[in-house]
Amino acid sequence: MGYDSILNWVTFDNPVDNAFYPFGVYNLPYDIGAKLWELLGGTIAWLINLLVPGNGLSTWLVSDALVNAFAIILMVLVIFAAGFVVNLTMIWQERKVMGRGMDRRGTKIGPLGYFQCLGDGLKTFMKENVVPKSVDKKIYWWALALIIGTAVLAACMIPLSDRWFIMDYPAGILMIYALFALAPFFILGASWAQNNKYSMIAGFRAAELMISYEIPMLILMTAVILQTGSFNINSIVNAQSEMWFMVPQILGFFTFFICAVAESERSPFDLAEAESELVEGWQTEYAGMKWGLIMLGDYFRGYVCCGLIVILYMGGWLLPFGYGGTAVPELVFLLRYSPCSSSS
Amino acid sequence: MSELSRTGYHTDKMWVTMGPQHPFSHGLWTLRVKVDGEYILDAEPEVGYLHRGWEKECENRTYAKIIPMADRLCYSASMTWSHLYCKVAEEALDVEVPERAQYLRVVADEICRIQSHLMWLAALGTDLGNLTIFLWCLREREFFLDLNVRLCGQRLTTNYPRIGGVRNDMPYYFERDCMRVVDRFENSLWDIINLTDESSVFVSRLKGISYLTKKQVANLGITGPAMRGCGVDYDVRRDDPYAAYDKLDFEVPVLKDGDAYARYRVRVEEMFQSCEIIRQAFNALQKIPKTAPYRLKVSKKIPAGTHMAHIEDPRGDALMYLVSDGSGSPYRLKVRSPVFVNVSASKAMLDGCRVADIPAVMAMIDMCLGETDR
Amino acid sequence: MPEDAMIEAPIKTDVEALIKGKFGSKVVFRQNTKKNSKADNEGRRLYMDTDRDTLYELCQYVHDRLNFEHIISVTAVDWVDHMQTVYHITNYLTGMVVEITADIPNDDPHIRSVTDIWEGANWHEREAYELFGIIFDNHPKLERLLTPKSYEFYPFRKSYKLRGQPDE
C-alpha cells in the first residue's frame, strides 16, 4: 500500500449504522460526538498508518466499538457544553438586565459584556482552596460533589428535542424530577458538616423551602401527566402539538412557575441564601472554586426548572397549533426557554 | 424578655454571633443573639471595636482643632456633629450667631440629613436583598454630596461650621444649584418610594416586626426617627429650637404604628420635610443682605463653666456637654451619641422577631460606629 | 389636684417650686448668666446640684411626678479633688432639659444607679464606670463596654495621661 488518503480513515459514517448504536432513533449529540471522534481518532489512525502501514491499532481506533465508546463520552460533553453556554447566556442576560434596571453597566468584558462571566469563573478558579479546620471532611466534600453532580446530571437529562437527549426513558420526566429533588438531603448534609451556625440555620431553611415547594410542583406535574397519559417526555411534548398545556392549565402554569423560582432559590425566595443575616447561606464555608461550582449548580437547577416549564406547559420543541417540528427544534426549545429564565 | 410561650417543638438554644465582620452590621460591632430555631430569645449587642478615646483626645486640643474631629464622629452626619460642637462652644462663649450663618447652618444640616437618610435607605435596600434601591439611593445622594462640595469643598467630612458662624458664605449660584437638586430630588424620591412601598416583599419584611410602645421607647432612651415611628412626638428642632429652626415652618412626621415599617416611613417623610426646610431657609436668606456677616470673631479661650447643647442629628438626639476651665482647650467634652443608646435597646427591639428580621430591625437604628464608640 | 398626680407638661417655675417644696435645701438651683442662649431665655433649661444620697429620690420624683420621661445622657466629670456625675433629663412635651449634678468623693466612688428608672441610662452608666471608675450601685450589669475587659485603669480620669499630655 502506497500513499494512503486520510479520507480512508475519516469516513463520517452514519452513526445509526454503528453496530453498537445505543439509541433507536437518530441522536444529534451522539452524531456530533461520533464525528468528532472520527476526526480525532481517524487522524491519529492515519498518522500511525503512515509510519507503520497495515497495523492493527489504526483499524481499532476507527472500529465501531471504540467510535461508540468515545462518541458517548463526547456526546455527554456536548450536552453539558450546550447547557453551560445556555447558563452563561442566562447569567449574562440577568446581570445585564439588572444592571440596566439599577442604572449601571452590568457586565463589561467582551462583546456586550458577554465574557465577563468567563472572567469571573477564572477568577474564582484561581482562588485559594480554603477548607476550615473543624469541618467534617468526608461529608463536606461528598455533599458538595453530590449537590453539583445531581444538578448537572438533571440538567443533562433535559432533552432539547426528540433528537437531542441522553436517554428516552418511558418515565423520563420522573427521572429528571427525582435527580432534581435530591438536593435538600445533600444541602442538609453540607450545612451540618460545615460546623457553622449560619450555614446550619440556612441549611434548614433551604431544605424546608425546597421540600415545601417540591410537593406542589409534583402535584402540578401529575396534572400534566394525567392529561397526557404518559411519563415520557416525547409523549408529553407531542400531546401539546395542537394546544399548549399552558392554556388549559393556566393556574398550574403560574403555580409551577412560582414554585420553580422558589426551587432555584432566586429572589424573592432567596431566604436560604439570606446574604444580609446569614452571610452566604449554607455555602458560607465553601470558599473559592467550591463556591463557584455551587453557583454553577444553582444555575443548572434554574436551567432544569425552566426546561421543565417548557416541556410541561409550553409545548417543548414543537410549534404550536399543529405546525409540527422545524429544522432546528433545539432552537425553538431554547427560545421558549429564554423568557422563562429571564423572568425568573 | 421572657421565654417565648409558643407551642410546638423547641430546639436546643444556641448563641449565634453576628459580627464584627458581618453583612448586616454596617461597621464593626457584634450582635450576639440566642435563638430557638428561627426565633430570637435574647440579644446582646457588643460595641467598642472603634473606641478611640475621642473625648479624652479633645482635652488635648484647642477649641478650634476639635471642629474637624467632630466631623469624624460620623461619616454621614459630619455637618450636624460639627454644628453641635460649635453650638456648645457658642453657648459657652455666650455669643449669638449672625442670622445669615444660622440659616446657612440650617441648609447645611438639612442637606446632611437628606444624604444621611439616603445612605440609610441604600443600606436598608441591601439588607433586604434589593440592590436597586441601594444604587438608586446612592445616585441621588451624589447630588447632595456635590452640593457639599460646592458649599465647603468636601464631600463627607465637611468642616464647615465655625465657632461663631460658618467658614464661608455660600458660593455664587449655590442657591440655584441647591434648588435644582432639591426639586429634582422631590421627584426622584417618589421613584425610590415606588420601588420600596410598591414592593410587597419589602413592605412585608418591615411590617409587623419589632413593635415598641411609646412608654418603652421613652424608657429605653431611643431617639430620632426610631422614636417618632413609635408615636413619641418630639423633635429637638421644634421642641427645643436651635439655629433658625424656630423661624421655619415644618412638620415633624410622627407615626403611631410602632413597627419597623413606621420607622422607615418617618425617615422618608423627614426627607420631604428637609426639602421644604431648605426651600424656606433660602427664602429667608434672600431677605438678608449679602453683605451681612456670617461669622463672628470669638475669643480662643472659653470662660470656666459647664455648658450643654443638643440638636437633632439624622439619627436622633445628639448632646454635647462641655466643661471648660478658662484655658484654650476643654476640660471635659462629653458626646451623647443617639446610636449608642438606640443600639443598647436592641434586645427590646428584637423581642419576638426571627433571625430573618435582624437586618431589617437593626437597619432602623441606622448604625454608625464612629459616633457609637467615639 | 392630688399630691402625687403627674403633671404632664410642667413649666420651669413649676418644676422649680415643686422640687424646692419637696427637697428643700438638698437641691441647689444654679442660675445661669447667659444672655444669648435661646433655650435659657425661653425657660427650657434648669440646672440643679444635689448630693448623691438625694439623687435617686430626685430622679424618681422628676420622672414620676413631672413627666421627665427621657434621659438624654449620664456622664461623669473628674474634678481631681472629687468626681461628679451629670444627668440630662428631658420632658417630651415641653422640650425642657433638666441638668442634675451630684458630687462623689474620690475615695468612695459609689452612687445609686438610675437604670431602674430609665432603662436608657444603662449603657451611659456602664460607660461612666469603665472610663471614670464610678460604681453605680444596683446597676444590672456593670461591666466594661467600650474598652477591653482586661483594662485595670480608668482612661478618662485626669490622672491618666495621654502621650504628649504634660504631667503638670
Side-chain angles (χ1 to χ4, degrees):
Chain A
M1 225 154 102
Y3 175 71
D4 198 358
S5 165
I6 190 172
L7 291 176
N8 294 349
W9 299 97
V10 186
T11 48
F12 289 143
D13 296 328
N14 187 356
V16 184
D17 298 338
N18 191 313
F20 298 94
Y21 186 63
F23 309 103
V25 292
Y26 176 70
N27 188 312
L28 179 61
Y30 181 89
D31 193 8
I32 298 173
K35 294 219 157 70
L36 276 174
W37 175 251
E38 286 212 15
L39 261 179
L40 191 69
T43 314
I44 297 168
W46 170 64
L47 285 172
I48 295 172
N49 196 54
L50 281 182
L51 296 171
V52 192
N55 64 350
L57 184 62
S58 295
T59 352
W60 182 66
L61 278 174
V62 290
S63 67
D64 273 5
L66 208 66
V67 168
N68 181 47
F70 275 100
I72 285 175
I73 293 172
L74 290 171
M75 158 198 173
V76 177
L77 281 181
V78 166
I79 289 180
F80 174 78
F84 190 74
V85 170
V86 169
N87 265 338
L88 278 187
T89 317
M90 189 163 122
I91 299 170
W92 166 75
Q93 104 189 12
E94 180 194 354
R95 290 173 69 169
K96 214 63 184 165
V97 168
M98 270 169 66
R100 285 297 145 84
M102 293 174 191
D103 205 3
R104 61 190 170 91
R105 293 286 293 275
T107 56
K108 283 173 89 174
I109 312 290
L112 289 175
Y114 189 80
F115 294 149
Q116 181 97 42
C117 295
L118 290 177
D120 285 351
L122 196 66
K123 180 205 73 177
T124 320
F125 192 71
M126 294 299 195
K127 284 200 170 178
E128 190 187 348
N129 185 15
V130 181
V131 181
K133 211 174 175 182
S134 55
V135 298
D136 187 338
K137 290 263 165 21
K138 208 177 265 176
I139 305 177
Y140 181 81
W141 285 106
W142 269 107
L144 172 73
L146 286 169
I147 291 164
I148 302 160
T150 50
V152 173
L153 198 54
C156 289
M157 295 290 283
I158 293 274
L160 295 192
S161 70
D162 52 359
R163 58 178 198 187
W164 188 291
F165 57 91
I166 284 187
M167 206 68 193
D168 197 10
Y169 283 115
I173 196 100
L174 276 189
M175 197 62 205
I176 295 173
Y177 198 75
L179 284 171
F180 190 64
L182 273 174
F185 299 103
F186 307 134
I187 288 178
L188 264 184
S191 65
W192 181 263
Q194 285 170 57
N195 196 10
N196 181 320
K197 286 168 187 168
Y198 299 140
S199 51
M200 202 174 86
I201 293 176
F204 287 138
R205 278 189 193 176
E208 206 173 335
L209 184 81
M210 286 184 176
I211 289 170
S212 48
Y213 281 97
E214 263 157 22
I215 293 163
M217 255 174 126
L218 203 61
I219 293 169
L220 294 164
M221 204 181 267
T222 317
V224 172
I225 291 163
L226 280 176
Q227 198 170 352
T228 320
S230 167
F231 286 112
N232 186 294
I233 294 173
N234 258 323
S235 323
I236 292 173
V237 171
N238 285 333
Q240 302 178 60
S241 62
E242 296 295 329
M243 179 63 81
W244 289 0
F245 285 159
M246 197 172 153
V247 181
Q249 302 202 8
I250 181 75
L251 280 177
F253 170 72
F254 282 116
T255 320
F256 195 92
F257 180 76
I258 291 167
C259 290
V261 174
E263 192 74 0
S264 47
E265 290 182 23
R266 310 293 302 154
S267 178
F269 296 97
D270 57 347
L271 80 161
E273 188 175 321
E275 196 191 319
S276 47
E277 78 258 21
L278 296 176
V279 190
E280 196 51 55
W282 55 269
Q283 317 149 18
T284 302
E285 299 285 5
Y286 284 108
M289 197 54 201
K290 298 195 287 294
W291 174 82
L293 285 175
I294 290 175
M295 283 306 281
L296 192 71
D298 272 0
Y299 275 100
F300 268 113
R301 287 173 66 80
Y303 174 76
V304 174
C305 285
C306 300
L308 282 177
I309 292 174
V310 175
I311 289 168
L312 291 174
Y313 294 100
M314 294 169 78
W317 49 85
L318 295 183
L319 291 180
F321 315 120
Y323 282 109
T326 51
V328 197
E330 291 83 12
L331 266 186
V332 178
F333 188 94
L334 290 177
L335 280 179
R336 280 181 199 158
Y337 160 87
S338 79
C340 294
S341 68
S342 49
S343 46
S344 65
Chain B
M1 198 189 305
S2 61
E3 293 275 300
L4 279 167
S5 57
R6 73 195 164 88
T7 52
Y9 68 93
H10 286 271
T11 60
D12 270 2
K13 321 283 179 285
M14 66 176 178
W15 281 96
V16 180
T17 308
M18 297 189 165
Q21 288 282 357
H22 196 279
F24 98 95
S25 61
H26 303 303
L28 291 177
W29 67 292
T30 304
L31 182 71
R32 295 179 66 234
V33 288
K34 189 181 177 190
V35 293
D36 173 10
E38 286 269 347
Y39 289 87
I40 294 168
L41 303 177
D42 198 352
E44 200 183 294
E46 282 172 15
V47 298
Y49 298 96
L50 219 64
H51 182 63
R52 296 159 288 178
W54 194 93
E55 294 164 12
K56 184 84 174 175
E57 278 294 317
C58 287
E59 293 169 17
N60 235 355
R61 279 166 167 70
T62 59
Y63 284 105
K65 276 184 181 172
I66 297 173
I67 302 171
M69 276 186 73
D71 276 343
R72 270 101 182 142
L73 273 173
C74 177
Y75 68 100
S76 65
S78 55
M79 197 72 91
T80 42
W81 278 110
S82 41
H83 180 181
L84 173 59
Y85 169 69
C86 293
K87 183 160 178 284
V88 76
E90 284 148 13
E91 289 270 328
L93 286 162
D94 198 14
V95 293
E96 184 159 19
V97 184
E99 208 183 2
R100 196 165 174 82
Q102 287 188 5
Y103 280 108
L104 282 171
R105 282 180 179 185
V106 167
V107 170
D109 271 11
E110 295 309 316
I111 289 173
C112 169
R113 194 180 312 277
I114 292 175
Q115 62 99 342
S116 170
H117 281 354
L118 277 174
M119 189 66 228
W120 158 81
L121 192 52
L124 178 65
T126 49
D127 281 345
L128 300 185
N130 192 335
L131 213 60
T132 316
I133 299 174
F134 174 76
L135 284 150
W136 284 25
C137 288
L138 286 193
R139 182 185 67 197
E140 298 310 320
R141 181 169 177 260
E142 268 326 286
F143 291 102
F144 288 95
L145 295 182
D146 286 349
L147 285 183
N148 270 353
V149 174
R150 293 277 283 134
L151 189 60
C152 40
Q154 273 294 347
R155 280 157 52 86
L156 290 174
T157 44
T158 45
N159 195 11
Y160 182 60
R162 287 286 181 277
I163 302 170
V166 292
R167 192 187 67 169
N168 55 290
D169 203 347
M170 59 179 182
Y172 210 60
Y173 288 141
F174 181 69
E175 181 184 349
R176 187 201 64 183
D177 293 352
C178 202
M179 288 333 294
R180 278 185 187 170
V181 169
V182 165
D183 289 344
R184 183 189 178 283
F185 175 67
E186 275 180 330
N187 287 324
S188 56
L189 185 53
W190 279 110
D191 292 348
I192 298 171
I193 291 173
N194 283 340
L195 261 185
T196 52
D197 276 3
E198 299 290 312
S199 153
S200 55
V201 176
F202 188 90
V203 173
S204 61
R205 283 198 67 177
L206 293 179
K207 253 194 181 145
I209 56 166
S210 174
Y211 277 113
L212 288 178
T213 63
K214 221 168 150 176
K215 274 230 139 44
Q216 264 181 312
V217 166
N219 197 33
L220 288 165
I222 298 170
T223 46
M227 165 186 78
R228 288 190 284 276
C230 299
V232 179
D233 191 3
Y234 177 71
D235 188 319
V236 182
R237 288 177 293 174
R238 184 197 60 196
D239 295 325
D240 192 3
Y242 53 94
Y245 279 109
D246 50 348
K247 292 166 212 152
L248 299 168
D249 175 35
F250 62 98
E251 274 176 37
V252 177
V254 177
L255 287 177
K256 294 202 172 105
D257 305 15
D259 58 352
Y261 184 69
R263 288 166 220 163
Y264 150 81
R265 287 293 318 168
V266 164
R267 277 199 173 87
V268 171
E269 284 302 318
E270 271 185 16
M271 285 196 259
F272 282 117
Q273 287 302 322
S274 295
C275 294
E276 189 54 38
I277 293 173
I278 291 176
R279 199 165 282 134
Q280 290 183 19
F282 274 120
N283 282 342
L285 269 172
Q286 275 176 347
K287 293 186 189 104
I288 303 168
K290 284 218 162 55
T291 48
Y294 56 85
R295 186 175 173 184
L296 285 182
K297 274 259 175 259
V298 292
S299 130
K300 278 186 181 164
K301 291 187 174 171
I302 289 182
T306 61
H307 323 277
M308 60 102 25
H310 68 151
I311 68 171
E312 186 74 19
D313 189 72
R315 288 160 179 74
D317 186 353
L319 176 138
M320 275 198 194
Y321 178 70
L322 172 70
V323 181
S324 50
D325 57 354
S327 71
S329 51
Y331 185 78
R332 163 124 174 86
L333 181 61
K334 153 81 182 173
V335 177
R336 188 265 190 199
S337 146
V339 182
F340 181 72
V341 187
N342 289 4
V343 79
S344 76
S346 46
K347 186 176 168 182
M349 283 183 169
L350 286 170
D351 191 0
C353 290
R354 299 191 188 197
V355 176
D357 299 332
I358 292 176
V361 173
M362 288 297 119
M364 294 306 155
I365 292 177
D366 196 2
M367 206 63 193
C368 181
L369 267 300
E371 61 172 87
T372 310
D373 296 346
R374 298 181 303 273
Chain C
M1 192 188 266
E3 180 65 15
D4 54 347
M6 184 193 275
I7 306 167
E8 294 230 315
I11 54 167
K12 184 178 176 181
T13 44
D14 283 355
V15 175
E16 219 169 334
L18 279 167
I19 289 176
K20 217 169 236 167
K22 178 94 172 55
F23 293 96
S25 61
K26 283 182 194 163
V27 178
V28 181
F29 291 92
R30 233 179 320 128
Q31 296 306 321
N32 65 306
T33 52
K34 298 194 184 91
K35 287 192 294 292
N36 287 317
S37 171
K38 215 181 284 179
D40 275 323
N41 293 340
E42 291 167 14
R44 285 197 306 270
R45 296 280 185 278
L46 187 61
Y47 307 93
M48 293 184 259
D49 295 332
T50 184
D51 54 81
R52 60 172 167 163
D53 302 321
T54 325
L55 177 93
Y56 184 76
E57 214 181 320
L58 176 63
C59 284
Q60 204 150 36
Y61 182 77
V62 161
H63 175 264
D64 294 349
R65 288 289 316 278
L66 305 176
N67 201 20
F68 280 78
E69 289 180 275
H70 171 48
I71 190 151
I72 307 178
S73 85
V74 178
T75 184
V77 183
D78 180 12
W79 288 104
V80 183
D81 53 337
H82 67 275
M83 299 280 214
Q84 189 181 48
T85 48
V86 186
Y87 301 80
H88 292 101
I89 307 157
T90 188
N91 184 319
Y92 283 140
L93 298 171
T94 55
M96 184 167 153
V97 181
V98 168
E99 182 181 308
I100 304 174
T101 60
D103 287 353
I104 302 166
N106 268 340
D107 50 356
D108 179 30
H110 283 265
I111 193 163
R112 180 71 161 78
S113 159
V114 295
T115 302
D116 43 359
I117 306 175
W118 296 282
E119 184 62 32
N122 189 333
W123 276 23
H124 288 304
E125 289 185 346
R126 277 175 76 175
E127 195 196 340
Y129 158 72
E130 71 177 334
L131 300 176
F132 288 93
I134 294 169
I135 294 159
F136 291 87
D137 299 328
N138 257 9
H139 189 280
K141 187 180 179 182
L142 203 62
E143 286 172 16
R144 282 188 179 273
L145 177 69
L146 297 171
T147 49
K149 304 254 183 304
S150 56
Y151 270 31
E152 284 168 358
F153 46 88
Y154 302 108
F156 277 26
R157 283 190 179 176
K158 286 285 168 188
S159 54
Y160 182 85
K161 295 290 176 202
L162 294 178
R163 250 179 307 175
Q165 220 170 19
D167 270 339
E168 279 156 48

